[in-house]
Amino acid sequence: MQTMLTTLILGATIAAAAPLTARSLVSDAAGQTYDYIVVGCGVSGLVVSSRLSENEDVTVLCLEAGALDHYEDDILVPYYIGLQPDGFYEWGIYTVPQTQLDGESRHIPMGKGVGGGSLINGMVWNRGNQESFNAWNDVGNSGWGWNALLPYFEKSETYTPKNYSGAEVQPELQNPSVHGTSGPVQVSYPNYYWPQTNNWFEALHELGIPTSAEPNEGLSAGGYFLPLDIDPINQTRSDARRSYYDPIIARTNFNVQDNSQVTRVLFDTSDNLTATGVEFATGASAPRQTVYARREVILAAGAIHSPQLLELSGIGQSSILEPLGITVLQNLPGVGNNLQDHGMIHLNYNYTSPVLADVNDFAINATFNDESAAEYYGSKTGPWTAKPSCAVAFPSLEQVTESASSMLAAASSAAYNLPSTYDDEPTLQAGYERQMASVLSELANENIPAFENLNNNAGGLDLALMRPLSRGTTHITSTDPFTTPSVDPRWLVHSFDYDVMILAMQVNQRILNTDAIKYLGPSYEYIPQDATAEELGQILLSGIGTEYHYSCTTAMLPLDLGGVVNEVLMVYGTNNLRVVDTGIFPMVPGSHLQAVAYGVAEKAADIIKAAQ
């Protein structure tokens, strides 16, 4: 509960983050014609639509189901990560019951607003390993390897290094040649360094887990000090809305229309499928309206809603569409299948040592919280700038177990446990086998992370699976576009994923037993220090959920491998319908996804421009 001091300063103006004076969003797109219609104004949609509108001779409309934010502190101030109220710029979707776990459904938060998930995510900025992107190229997508993507990763960011006095891993030593210097997103570090960060890296060193000063060149696994999408001066979130929309809000050829949910794509079927426009509505009971496209319709609604729109529009797996009475315009079994996510479990071993304050003190020490708030609003320094920890670990199997080879061998012969939608679909089965071979080959490399350990410097050691073999689905169950699709992530259905997460939990136990962490006094209220693998398994099955990295449901793959889009992101069987969001990933990279999403969208924009 906020004290009076905090309550008074919460409304303080964040000077350089104040809204620009500009034209209001218009609500008159209905009946109009634009060169490009972009569906979804999150990270991918704003990147692509803003870049296309750089050509003043074309007109661009971006339609967003959510609202335009009001520069709330809950978005801009790092302290509020994880504290936003329910439904705050978010869809409120739940999965189907996860019978392979504990039979319960899980909330899967997704951003809903101009800026999408970048409004509410944890601000972490990393790309993953080079080989994960080279694998995209190797499964049939020419021009999508690391070297092809790196210029676009750089194009999206303005990177500002930082020196922390006495830091065990110094971000100032990072490699400037892999960072951008003039991109829209501000990428930097908090103006505060939690002293426990050194304990974290010392613990990793005790266990023989190496650390890297430059995680974003994609060459190593181990301990990292990661940057954030944070303004280095104002210490505010640098999200997609403030990076790719506000600076160009005055463009007369670019219109963002919020509170407008697209309900289906419209086609001329006389010559293959030509998207002529989209239908949208301001609410479930509102009348449907139409806007037309001269050149292309571009889906950027995310890995859950882009496949929903394709299916509602007659593009998808026949066995899903026909029972709903939807005319199948293009049978693409890959739509809504191949769902991948980094399954994550929250684990707390709260530090009890009174020597050092940590993020838990925000809630239990009013004086510390008020002083931190005053420091933040007064000078943009202090603990409130550093709510998300930058000190994490992405270990490889080789770094944490002597059984890596036997684990990988067992994984290759284990039951796939694929969704029922893969039955009688040879392209989906072939695509999965190709992906599995690629992932297992990567994981044999000591530089490829198998899991992530999200240290919060207060005893929180959350774990996430980086290279899953489990596959899920998302499909419509109704022709009503306002009915939530059936989302089934199917975390841990492949035994290898379960084994990796148990190993990760055991690595936690080793970390807690290092001298560096024992000094901080970890507690074992929730997880016994000597918990067996079976006991850890019970905790895992009841606790695992999402890391918010939904992807791969409109995969960029060859048709014979279950692909939905080709290497120029055109939906198979259409002339001018593309997808540009995280759904096009063939395999989820071992990283947080926002930096990847920005880079992929930058490349997508150039692909579309080249076709003009």
Side-chain angles (χ1 to χ4, degrees):
M1 186 173 181
Q2 301 288 352
T3 64
M4 182 60 72
L5 172 61
T6 306
T7 302
L8 289 172
I9 63 178
L10 285 184
T13 301
I14 301 175
L20 301 173
T21 301
R23 62 183 176 88
S24 300
L25 295 184
V26 298
S27 56
D28 58 358
Q32 301 299 310
T33 300
Y34 293 80
D35 289 304
Y36 297 97
I37 298 173
V38 179
V39 179
C41 307
V43 167
S44 304
L46 284 182
V47 171
V48 169
S49 57
S50 68
R51 292 302 188 187
L52 292 177
S53 68
E54 289 173 341
N55 181 351
E56 61 185 16
D57 293 328
V58 304
T59 54
V60 183
L61 170 68
C62 193
L63 290 170
E64 169 56 42
L68 191 73
D69 71 76
H70 302 287
Y71 285 74
E72 293 95 330
D73 281 5
D74 300 61
I75 292 173
L76 295 177
V77 180
Y79 164 78
Y80 288 101
I81 290 174
L83 298 178
Q84 296 96 340
D86 289 345
F88 185 77
Y89 298 99
E90 195 272 309
W91 282 90
I93 290 178
Y94 286 77
T95 70
V96 300
Q98 295 298 285
T99 56
Q100 80 284 6
L101 301 176
D102 57 359
E104 300 295 324
S105 65
R106 307 289 201 267
H107 183 206
I108 50 169
M110 289 180 284
K112 184 181 183 182
V114 178
S118 72
L119 302 175
I120 59 174
N121 65 20
M123 297 174 61
V124 176
W125 191 267
N126 71 315
R127 301 165 182 164
N129 195 277
Q130 292 188 16
E131 292 309 309
S132 295
F133 298 102
N134 292 337
W136 289 9
N137 197 87
D138 294 343
V139 295
N141 301 303
S142 177
W144 284 91
W146 171 265
N147 289 337
L149 278 165
L150 180 58
Y152 294 104
F153 291 147
E154 295 172 341
K155 185 177 182 179
S156 69
E157 68 177 25
T158 292
Y159 175 73
T160 303
K162 190 173 184 64
N163 178 278
Y164 292 110
S165 177
E168 183 77 15
V169 175
Q170 187 56 259
E172 191 178 50
L173 299 177
Q174 294 189 347
N175 179 3
S177 70
V178 297
H179 289 287
T181 58
S182 58
V185 183
Q186 295 295 323
V187 177
S188 191
Y189 300 87
N191 280 338
Y192 184 78
Y193 185 84
W194 293 102
Q196 299 92 326
T197 302
N198 282 351
N199 295 72
W200 170 252
F201 289 123
E202 289 168 8
L204 297 182
H205 292 158
E206 280 190 54
L207 297 178
I209 298 173
T211 55
S212 170
E214 180 48 272
N216 280 316
E217 63 185 348
L219 291 174
S220 64
Y224 303 149
F225 195 85
L226 295 176
L228 308 173
D229 58 321
I230 191 170
D231 187 288
I233 305 300
N234 296 309
Q235 292 290 289
T236 51
R237 181 190 294 267
S238 183
D239 57 68
R241 181 255 167 105
R242 271 145 284 274
S243 301
Y244 281 87
Y245 178 62
D246 284 359
I248 61 168
I249 198 169
R251 284 183 189 165
T252 57
N253 65 330
F254 180 32
N255 179 22
V256 168
Q257 182 165 306
D258 63 346
N259 295 309
S260 301
Q261 183 169 333
V262 173
T263 55
R264 65 185 176 115
V265 180
L266 306 175
F267 292 102
D268 176 355
T269 60
S270 60
D271 179 20
N272 286 332
L273 295 177
T274 300
T276 59
V278 301
E279 183 183 83
F280 69 93
T282 58
S285 60
R288 304 295 192 261
Q289 302 180 81
T290 302
V291 60
Y292 301 97
R294 290 190 192 90
R295 299 190 182 188
E296 294 188 12
V297 172
I298 301 161
L299 299 187
I304 304 302
H305 291 104
S306 284
Q308 178 190 24
L309 272 174
L310 288 172
E311 290 179 337
L312 289 168
S313 306
I315 297 177
Q317 191 169 15
S318 296
S319 60
I320 297 292
L321 306 187
E322 289 173 347
L324 296 173
I326 296 175
T327 300
V328 179
L329 300 180
Q330 180 70 26
N331 178 28
L332 283 183
V335 174
N337 290 309
N338 198 41
L339 173 60
Q340 296 169 46
D341 181 31
H342 295 140
M344 182 171 71
I345 184 169
H346 301 284
L347 299 172
N348 284 311
Y349 313 84
N350 295 328
Y351 297 154
T352 60
S353 172
V355 177
L356 299 173
D358 57 42
V359 293
N360 291 338
D361 286 289
F362 290 142
I364 63 177
N365 185 333
T367 299
F368 174 72
N369 191 47
D370 286 345
E371 290 175 349
S372 300
E375 185 176 1
Y376 178 83
Y377 287 109
S379 63
K380 302 301 184 295
T381 60
W384 264 35
T385 70
K387 179 67 173 292
S389 172
C390 297
V392 299
F394 285 77
S396 67
L397 290 178
E398 289 285 348
Q399 291 171 351
V400 294
T401 180
E402 296 179 353
S403 302
S405 296
S406 60
M407 288 181 68
L408 294 171
S412 65
S413 59
Y416 294 169
N417 289 330
L418 292 172
S420 61
T421 48
Y422 282 58
D423 296 347
D424 303 317
E425 294 286 3
T427 64
L428 295 183
Q429 295 170 18
Y432 176 75
E433 290 179 354
R434 182 67 184 83
Q435 293 174 45
M436 185 180 71
S438 178
V439 170
L440 293 179
S441 175
E442 284 184 64
L443 287 171
N445 186 323
E446 66 178 357
N447 294 316
I448 303 294
F451 62 89
E452 176 185 12
N453 192 314
L454 295 93
N455 151 63
N456 76 344
N457 289 320
L461 300 181
D462 297 347
L463 299 170
L465 181 71
M466 286 294 98
R467 307 296 283 137
L469 294 185
S470 301
R471 295 294 182 266
T473 62
T474 177
H475 292 296
I476 60 173
T477 60
S478 166
T479 58
D480 177 6
F482 290 90
T483 296
T484 298
S486 174
V487 183
D488 188 4
R490 304 179 78 250
W491 300 291
L492 306 185
V493 294
H494 195 289
S495 60
F496 176 75
D497 294 351
Y498 176 89
D499 292 342
V500 171
M501 290 300 285
I502 292 297
L503 172 63
M505 296 174 79
Q506 292 169 333
V507 171
N508 264 4
Q509 292 174 308
R510 293 181 225 159
I511 290 172
L512 296 166
N513 201 41
T514 61
D515 291 338
I517 299 301
K518 283 194 290 187
Y519 172 78
L520 300 175
S523 62
Y524 298 93
E525 179 181 357
Y526 304 108
I527 306 169
Q529 185 175 12
D530 58 352
T532 65
E534 291 73 20
E535 290 169 332
L536 293 176
Q538 293 175 359
I539 295 169
L540 177 62
L541 294 180
S542 63
I544 194 167
T546 181
E547 199 180 16
Y548 327 112
H549 296 164
Y550 330 108
S551 52
C552 310
T553 53
T554 52
M556 176 175 56
L557 284 167
L559 260 177
D560 60 4
L561 295 179
V564 176
V565 301
N566 61 18
E567 60 193 26
V568 294
L569 309 181
M570 196 73 73
V571 176
Y572 288 113
T574 75
N575 295 320
N576 63 337
L577 175 64
R578 298 188 208 247
V579 186
V580 298
D581 55 48
T582 62
I584 67 98
F585 300 175
M587 295 164 290
V588 63
S591 68
H592 291 254
L593 295 194
Q594 75 159 337
V596 181
Y598 278 107
V600 166
E602 287 279 12
K603 180 174 173 65
D606 270 5
I607 288 171
I608 298 167
K609 283 183 173 182
Q612 289 178 355

